[in-house]
Amino acid sequence: MQPIKQILPPQTIGIIGGGQLGRMMAIAARYMGYRIVVLDPTPNCPTAQVADEQIVAGYAEITAVKELIEKTDVITYEFENVDLDAAELIQNAGKLPQGALALEVTQNREKEKLLMDELELSVPAFRIVKTEEACKEALSIIPLPAVIKTCRGGYDGKGQLKLTTEEDKKEALAFFQEHGYCIIERWVPFDKEISVVFTRSQQGYITFFPIAENEHRDHILYKTTVPAEIEAVFEEKAYAMTAKIAERMEIVGTFAIEMFVGEGTIYMNEMAPRPHNSGHYTIEGCNVSQFTQHIRAICGLPLIPVSLHQPTAMINILGESLPEAIEFTANHDFGFLHLYGKEEPKEKRKMGHITFTAETTEALRKQLDIFEEAANQ
């Protein structure tokens, strides 16, 4: 194994993408003494507010990417839709320890599912459709309920359509005609959705965060609770499945995999090659956050063994619930408020989150009940 080049404070970390994940990466790095340069087209984006410098340009602008390479010692990204040519340029410059493979796979649901199949991991029955005929055939084979998704892009329920009746198949065909390259998969009945967030070092050492149990509302993550209430056999299986992915893709940094627990098994759902919304609880809930661990990994530092302080939950704060969340934390002695510095609180837009911690699961539930009661008034 080649010796790992360590990046030490006050050297400079570049971040592609200036949203909330980049912001929390930057805050973790600044605590450690690093400088930060962010590349994002929006002036004064959330990450720029806590960075040393912003390059205001599009993510695929090669001149801007070259400037980022020149000004930094290592580069990471906060979302998976990074331009692959830009990623390869950074990798060839020796400044992208995460590599381009994780981006290539997670940008494309076909490649993602085929990799899971190759590793013999449980996935819902699926078909990739690239022609209208293939779409019709898949709709006749995949049992209802099902879901059609774009193979590229899409998040928080965007770029997908659930199919529950025969009539919905007409909408699915129209969806395909609009997007052209899709995956149709069986909608798995599940008891719980969980996510496994982990960090893998450049030396190949993996630390796992406690498995999180997720609740979605309108396709957007609403609440994450830790520890997840799942049987030990499922917990062990989830970690084993995750380790297979991590080793096969030679992951570096923090990475997340969403899974469904149901029908007596665990099904793989989707992957994110970066810190994840369901891992925000780690900031207060664990001895080391997913963001600090990510920075340590990309900088070639040893990873910190992970432990959970106490039962923890995280609730996303969307634009329409922002005033109530601020008022709640101003009037209660529990709940840690994190706001992301976004200018306009649009409906369904993630503006921040609140983390709750308590000594027992029962005490945590009481805190959540008080918060939800206040939010619904």
Side-chain angles (χ1 to χ4, degrees), residues 288-337:
V288 59
S289 77
Q290 62 168 343
F291 301 101
T292 297
Q293 203 80 309
H294 179 72
I295 296 300
R296 294 183 69 88
I298 65 166
C299 290
L301 306 182
L303 301 184
I304 296 173
V306 175
S307 62
L308 181 69
H309 288 316
Q310 54 188 10
T312 305
M314 183 279 309
I315 291 181
N316 273 326
I317 304 303
L318 305 183
E320 61 269 31
S321 56
L322 180 60
E324 290 80 7
I326 293 173
E327 183 181 353
F328 180 87
T329 53
N331 291 289
H332 292 81
D333 62 357
F334 58 89
F336 299 87
L337 179 65

Side-chain angles (χ1 to χ4, degrees), residues 327-375:
E327 183 181 353
F328 180 87
T329 53
N331 291 289
H332 292 81
D333 62 357
F334 58 89
F336 299 87
L337 179 65
H338 296 254
L339 297 183
Y340 301 149
K342 296 180 181 180
E343 289 185 6
E344 195 176 350
K346 296 178 183 177
E347 187 174 350
K348 304 301 179 190
R349 188 183 196 190
K350 293 172 185 171
M351 301 301 295
H353 69 267
I354 299 182
T355 308
F356 300 91
T357 64
E359 291 185 3
T360 65
T361 301
E362 292 72 24
L364 181 64
R365 286 200 189 104
K366 285 181 182 176
Q367 289 186 9
L368 294 172
D369 288 344
I370 293 169
F371 174 78
E372 290 177 349
E373 184 180 344

Side-chain angles (χ1 to χ4, degrees), residues 105-344:
V105 172
T106 55
Q107 283 179 10
N108 187 304
R109 287 191 170 100
E110 178 180 10
K111 292 182 178 181
E112 197 172 72
K113 283 291 192 291
L114 291 176
L115 178 67
M116 293 173 183
D117 257 0
E118 176 195 323
L119 294 174
E120 299 180 339
L121 302 174
S122 298
V123 295
F126 72 93
R127 286 289 185 95
I128 303 298
V129 294
K130 299 179 182 178
T131 67
E132 193 167 317
E133 283 186 12
C135 184
K136 289 177 179 176
E137 182 184 352
L139 288 169
S140 69
I141 292 172
I142 302 292
L144 295 175
V147 61
I148 182 169
K149 303 176 184 178
T150 56
C151 276
R152 292 183 177 276
Y155 63 96
D156 288 347
K158 299 176 178 67
Q160 70 179 51
L161 177 68
K162 186 179 179 183
L163 317 173
T164 54
T165 68
E166 290 295 322
E167 196 66 23
D168 291 340
K169 292 183 178 181
K170 293 178 184 176
E171 287 188 49
L173 200 55
F175 182 95
F176 169 77
Q177 288 165 347
E178 180 185 351
H179 297 285
Y181 176 31
C182 297
I183 179 172
I184 298 175
E185 62 184 2
R186 178 181 164 233
W187 185 278
V188 175
F190 60 91
D191 303 316
K192 296 178 187 295
E193 182 189 295
I194 61 171
S195 54
V196 183
V197 179
F198 68 93
T199 310
R200 186 174 181 271
S201 71
Q202 295 180 49
Q203 295 91 337
Y205 176 63
I206 301 175
T207 58
F208 293 97
F209 291 96
I211 294 176
E213 184 174 329
N214 300 323
E215 177 188 333
H216 286 76
R217 294 184 180 178
D218 297 326
H219 303 289
I220 299 172
L221 180 64
Y222 168 68
K223 178 169 62 179
T224 294
T225 308
V226 180
E229 292 185 359
I230 58 173
E231 296 175 34
V233 64
F234 289 137
E235 187 174 346
E236 290 168 13
K237 188 172 183 180
Y239 284 136
M241 293 166 75
T242 300
K244 267 192 171 185
I245 291 279
E247 297 297 342
R248 170 65 178 79
M249 294 177 69
E250 297 184 341
I251 298 302
V252 171
T254 295
F255 193 100
I257 303 178
E258 296 173 328
M259 304 179 188
F260 298 129
V261 180
E263 302 183 320
T265 190
I266 294 182
Y267 291 97
M268 303 290 284
N269 183 25
E270 293 180 345
M271 305 190 292
R274 40 134 179 103
H276 192 257
N277 194 176
S278 65
H280 292 351
Y281 79 87
T282 61
I283 297 173
E284 282 86 21
C286 295
N287 63 314
V288 59
S289 77
Q290 62 168 343
F291 301 101
T292 297
Q293 203 80 309
H294 179 72
I295 296 300
R296 294 183 69 88
I298 65 166
C299 290
L301 306 182
L303 301 184
I304 296 173
V306 175
S307 62
L308 181 69
H309 288 316
Q310 54 188 10
T312 305
M314 183 279 309
I315 291 181
N316 273 326
I317 304 303
L318 305 183
E320 61 269 31
S321 56
L322 180 60
E324 290 80 7
I326 293 173
E327 183 181 353
F328 180 87
T329 53
N331 291 289
H332 292 81
D333 62 357
F334 58 89
F336 299 87
L337 179 65
H338 296 254
L339 297 183
Y340 301 149
K342 296 180 181 180
E343 289 185 6
E344 195 176 350

Side-chain angles (χ1 to χ4, degrees), residues 18-19 23 26 38 40 42-54:
R23 179 188 181 93
V38 58
D40 192 277
T42 304
N44 196 41
C45 59
T47 306
Q49 295 165 18
V50 296
D52 295 278
E53 183 181 345
Q54 178 181 5

